[in-house]
Amino acid sequence: MADDETREIFVTGLKNAHAMENQALSIMKPQVKRIENYPDIAAKLEQHIRETEGQISRLEEILSSLAEGHSSLKDMALSAVGAMAALGHSVAGDEILKNSFANFAFENFEIAAYNSLITVAELGGFAGLVPGLQANLDEEIAMAKWLEANLRRTTIKFANLKEAGQTAKI
């Protein structure tokens, strides 16, 4: 593969990752605003929002080091998709569970994207840019593990609140 082709794949992947992280923000921010009965989830989402903002900054630094910028169109499009997904779950009677499932799936999507980006970086001779991508990957892995480890507890709490006739939705 020619170096310029690998660079193009890498830059496209970085722009996609930037848009993906903006989508993540548009999903998490509405969720965290609506949470009342799950303070641990709210706190974790707030932490991950801050991490995601840092991930966006790292991606912008990497793009800048390549004399590239992010794609505003991709950012806006995926942010709109994320906002619609968050809105769609808000009408569900089991919103907290649906959000938990979707967040876990999205974290694993991000993990796959960063693993692929790291591979392309290594193939294209951009090994010096891997640490920033690895930092993003590590944060996504930690969030996915947290979501997986807490799904049972969240489900039990939801069921108990529902059974007690309390607001279980979120």
Side-chain angles (χ1 to χ4, degrees):
M1 192 178 307
D3 288 341
D4 58 337
E5 290 178 24
T6 305
R7 185 185 191 283
E8 185 178 328
I9 293 167
F10 187 51
V11 168
T12 298
L14 291 166
K15 290 178 180 184
N16 290 342
H18 190 275
M20 170 185 73
E21 294 302 353
N22 277 289
Q23 181 181 12
L25 288 177
S26 71
I27 292 169
M28 290 185 292
K29 285 181 176 181
Q31 287 179 14
V32 78
K33 288 179 184 175
R34 295 179 45 79
I35 294 176
E36 294 176 13
N37 290 320
Y38 304 85
D40 55 329
I41 294 173
K44 190 64 176 176
L45 283 174
E46 288 170 355
Q47 174 193 337
H48 198 55
I49 286 168
R50 289 188 303 277
E51 289 173 346
T52 301
E53 290 166 344
Q55 292 168 6
I56 290 170
S57 293
R58 282 192 285 271
L59 289 166
E60 289 172 351
E61 289 172 14
I62 293 169
L63 282 163
S64 179
S65 76
L66 297 168
E68 298 282 349
H70 60 89
S71 169
S72 296
L73 182 60
K74 285 182 183 181
D75 289 352
M76 287 187 330
L78 287 183
S79 290
V81 169
M84 294 304 294
L87 180 63
H89 290 174
S90 70
V91 297
D94 60 349
E95 178 181 3
I96 194 69
L97 297 181
K98 287 201 175 26
N99 286 346
S100 295
F101 306 157
N103 291 346
F104 181 68
F106 198 81
E107 292 303 323
N108 280 282
F109 179 85
E110 291 174 306
I111 289 166
Y114 283 116
N115 276 315
S116 180
L117 266 175
I118 289 168
T119 300
V120 174
E122 292 166 347
L123 289 173
F126 303 107
L129 301 177
V130 169
L133 297 171
Q134 186 66 52
N136 287 9
L137 174 60
D138 291 344
E139 290 171 353
E140 301 302 359
I141 290 170
M143 183 64 174
K145 285 181 180 178
W146 187 90
L147 287 163
E148 183 175 26
N150 286 278
L151 183 57
R152 179 175 172 78
R153 188 176 43 78
T154 301
T155 303
I156 291 169
K157 183 171 184 175
F158 171 80
N160 288 340
L161 286 170
K162 189 85 167 167
E163 191 66 35
Q166 297 179 19
T167 303
K169 187 174 177 183
I170 197 149

